[in-house]
Each structure stands twice: as structure tokens, then as C-alpha cells.
Amino acid sequence: MHTSYPPLNPLRTFEVAARLCSLTLAAEELNVSQVAVSRQVKVLEEYLGVTLFKRLHRGIELTDEGKQLYDGVARAFQDIGNASRLVSRRGRRDILAIQSYTTFSQRWLIPRLTHFHDAHPRIEVRLSSSIAPVDFETQNLDAAIRAGKGDWPGLHSEKLADIELIPICSPAFHLQHKLEHPNDLSRVRLLHSMARPTDWAAWIKRVGANVDANPGMRFESSALAYEAASLDGGVAIAVKVFVKRQLHNGSLVAPFEQTCYSGEGYFLTWPQNTMPSPPLMKFLGWIRDQMQLEE
């Protein structure tokens, strides 16, 4: 059903005049003449068929009908202002909500995130971590970083890095146990991630080593397994992109050169039916630039 509304410009003029109890002050706020304010009020009165102001010698005063109208109009304009502020980007920082796996966040993203903020100080990244699948319909997220082959139904995916596996340990552990051949892993402790339970088996099969992939210690995340390896706890199987810096500076070592490409990768994903925002595109471009610099 069509609803008939009073003319909005006269309604706005009325709200200002009623709030200030003055046609003169209303004219100043609206940056128009007092005659124009009077004319707009007159238009509204004629539309409604009532008198809204009592014209006094030293000003104006609301009639009973004017008071009733003002109470509703003031609330309505306040609601409009509040709603506008909620959606407006004027003077507001751009917020980019990203969900990522804990290890991707800890081992790759967080150490570099200040560089993104330096380059884009008006983009506020809100980072959360979870291994659970993302539900874009219920979660307030712009994008999520996921591991797989990039073929999730309903999602657009942009590849960030391949998942390439490589064993790692501390320099001291390597020196102590003299790891020279993959078969030497049979006499040391293997460190497993429960989030990636098949990685050791995949690497051992790839290099043809005679090693049982099951024994060892298990950790909730790959990041914890890497930490245990750095503290001389054993040999962890790592995603190479997460440990490149440590391998370069010598805080971790790769006892064997052989790697295993899992056939999967890390992807930045968002719903196919959603247009990516400019901040999200800047974030994607920055990650790709960082990945290329570290190849």
C-alpha cells in the first residue's frame, strides 16, 4: 500500500524552526532567508491543514498540533541520522575482517601485517583464526584464507601459495643427531600437527624413505610443532612458506633438500556473489607481492 508523506524539504525546515523556536535562527542554520523559512512552513501547514506555530511578537511558539508533529519528526530525523552514520564511510577507517588458520596467521601473516598497515594506514584489519569452515552468511567476514585446491562451491578463490612440505629442526638438534639421509628420521622424534595429520606420511612416501610415519609427538597446530622443533624437541614437517625466514636466518634448518608438493595451496576466498571491496583487493595484492619477494 502506498503511503503519502508530507513534502520533505518543508518538513526539515519545520524541524529546525521548532527545535530552535525561531525562524531567524532556522534561516541561519539552513543558510537561507527568513522569508524562505516562513514560506516552507506555510507549505507544510497548508498540506496538513493545521497551524503549526503561533506567531508571537518576539518569536514563535508551537501549537498543540505543532508539538505533536515535532515529537515524531525529531525522532524520525534522529533515526535517519543514526542509520546514515552506520553505513557512511565518510571520515571512517575501512574495516577488513579476515579469518585465517592459526598457523598461517602466526607464522606468515602477523609478522608482516605491520607492513600492510604502514602502506594502508586507513585500512583496519580485523584478524580471527579458526580451523572451522567459514559461514559467510552468519559471520561478519570479508574473506577467509583456506587450504585446499580452490574449488569450494559458492566461493571465489585466489591462490596465495603452494603447500610444499619440508622437514625442519633446530641447528643444535641437527648437529647432535647427524641427519644425513631421510632414513635417519627413524632414530629421532617426529613432531606432528593434528591439523595436518598426513603430512609426514606424504613426505616419507614422496622421498621413498624407510621410516614409520606414525610415532612421535602430536600438537594441536603446526605452529606448536614448529615451536617444539625450534626448542630441540625433534623434527617437524613444515609448510615451506611458513619457515622460509627461519631457514634463511639459520634459526631453523632443513636437514634434507627434498620437498613434497601436496597438490594443494592456500587461497584467499570470498563469496562468488559478493563484489570484493577495494580494501580487500589491496590486501590480496599486498600478499601476492610479499610472496613474490620471498620466493
Side-chain angles (χ1 to χ4, degrees), residues 19-20 41 62 65 71 92 94 96 101 120 135 160 181 190 195 246 268 276 292:
R19 171 164 44 84
L20 300 176
V41 171
L62 284 167
E65 291 85 354
D71 288 341
R92 194 182 76 181
D94 286 310
L96 183 61
Y101 297 115
H120 306 285
D135 185 348
L160 305 177
H181 188 276
L190 302 185
Q246 290 74 28
L268 186 65
Q292 289 179 359

Side-chain angles (χ1 to χ4, degrees), residues 203-220:
W203 186 87
I204 289 170
K205 181 180 179 180
R206 168 68 177 80
V207 302
N210 184 23
V211 177
D212 186 351
N214 291 314
M217 296 176 63
R218 284 170 170 76
F219 300 86
E220 183 180 24

Side-chain angles (χ1 to χ4, degrees), residues 180-194:
E180 298 177 354
H181 188 276
N183 285 340
D184 293 337
L185 291 172
S186 61
R187 54 183 175 81
V188 297
R189 184 183 299 111
L190 302 185
L191 307 176
H192 301 260
S193 166
M194 289 185 284

